[in-house]
């Protein structure tokens, strides 16, 4: 049995936890939160540290210092983070769902998440290239 079916999120080793990330980059997109409803809308504008081709953070070790808003996911936090994409491996496991067939741990191929159209590759634009006042024009338009 694969480890994500037998080990709880709280009991996973660091290596298991990190390998669970499918590398989609979706959580690294900028979001807006409606002050009244609390609903979160995604945009295609990504954090400046995201490599929009590999969909990986370019300075993962120092991300908390460089991007104070970057949230460190924990098993306890995940159920409360309703903005996490429904495809997110951590959310799936937390909700008792299995990993999808395109997840690299299932497919054995790191590119399967890109081929399946789940990642932000060829969709995201770095915040480096977008004026802060224009970010809202890049709203995703549907729920991730
Ligand atoms: S949304 Fe989840 S699986 Fe995708 S990059 Fe973020 S943490 Fe990893
Ligand atoms: S600092 Fe890295 S992990 Fe955090 S949002 Fe930016 S690209 Fe993503």
């Amino acid at each position: 049995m694969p480890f994500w079916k037998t080990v709880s999120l709280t009991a996973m080793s660091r290596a298991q936890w990190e390998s669970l990330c499918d590398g989609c980059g979706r959580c690294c997109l900028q979001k807006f939160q409606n002050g009244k409803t609390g609903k979160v809308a995604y945009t295609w504008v990504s954090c400046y540290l995201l490599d929009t081709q590999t969909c990986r953070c370019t300075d993962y070790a120092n991300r908390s210092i460089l991007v104070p808003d970057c949230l460190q996911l924990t098993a306890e936090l995940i159920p409360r983070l309703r903005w996490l994409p429904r495809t997110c491996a951590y959310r799936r496991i937390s909700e008792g769902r299995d990993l999808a067939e395109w997840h690299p741990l299932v497919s054995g191929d790191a590119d399967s998440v890109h081929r399946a159209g789940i990642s932000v590759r060829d969709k995201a634009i770095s915040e480096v290239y977008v004026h802060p006042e224009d970010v809202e024009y890049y709203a995703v338009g549907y729920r991730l």
Side-chain angles (χ1 to χ4, degrees):
M1 286 269 267
F3 75 86
W4 62 89
K5 292 187 180 182
T6 57
V7 185
S8 69
L9 284 172
T10 47
M12 282 182 190
S13 67
R14 179 87 186 162
Q16 289 172 329
W17 177 272
E18 293 297 334
S19 71
L20 210 49
C21 178
D22 59 33
C24 71
R26 287 183 169 197
C27 59
C28 304
L29 297 175
Q30 289 194 16
K31 312 152 196 70
F32 288 108
Q33 183 161 35
N34 183 305
K36 286 181 183 164
T37 65
K39 285 192 174 174
V40 173
Y42 271 88
T43 72
W44 287 120
V45 180
S46 71
C47 171
Y48 79 99
L49 280 186
L50 188 77
D51 181 320
T52 56
Q53 277 305 297
T54 64
C55 303
R56 292 286 183 178
C57 184
T58 54
D59 200 346
Y60 192 69
N62 295 308
R63 68 192 191 286
S64 301
I65 300 164
L66 297 171
V67 183
D69 282 351
C70 179
L71 201 63
Q72 187 101 31
L73 287 183
T74 64
E76 292 76 20
L77 261 182
I78 289 165
R80 288 192 271 137
L81 303 177
R82 301 317 299 169
W83 52 262
L84 264 185
R86 285 172 295 166
T87 55
C88 174
Y90 298 99
R91 179 168 174 176
R92 294 177 75 109
I93 298 300
S94 176
E95 293 176 348
R97 292 182 285 143
D98 198 357
L99 299 183
E101 69 284 353
W102 43 259
H103 193 290
L105 283 177
V106 178
S107 66
D109 177 359
D111 274 343
S112 56
V113 65
H114 306 302
R115 281 198 303 273
I118 301 298
S119 80
V120 302
R121 178 183 284 179
D122 297 329
K123 299 181 190 122
I125 178 170
S126 172
E127 64 183 339
V128 171
Y129 304 113
V130 180
H131 190 282
E133 290 179 9
D134 290 339
V135 171
E136 63 185 277
Y137 296 118
Y138 291 86
V140 166
Y142 59 87
R143 194 167 162 236
L144 289 175

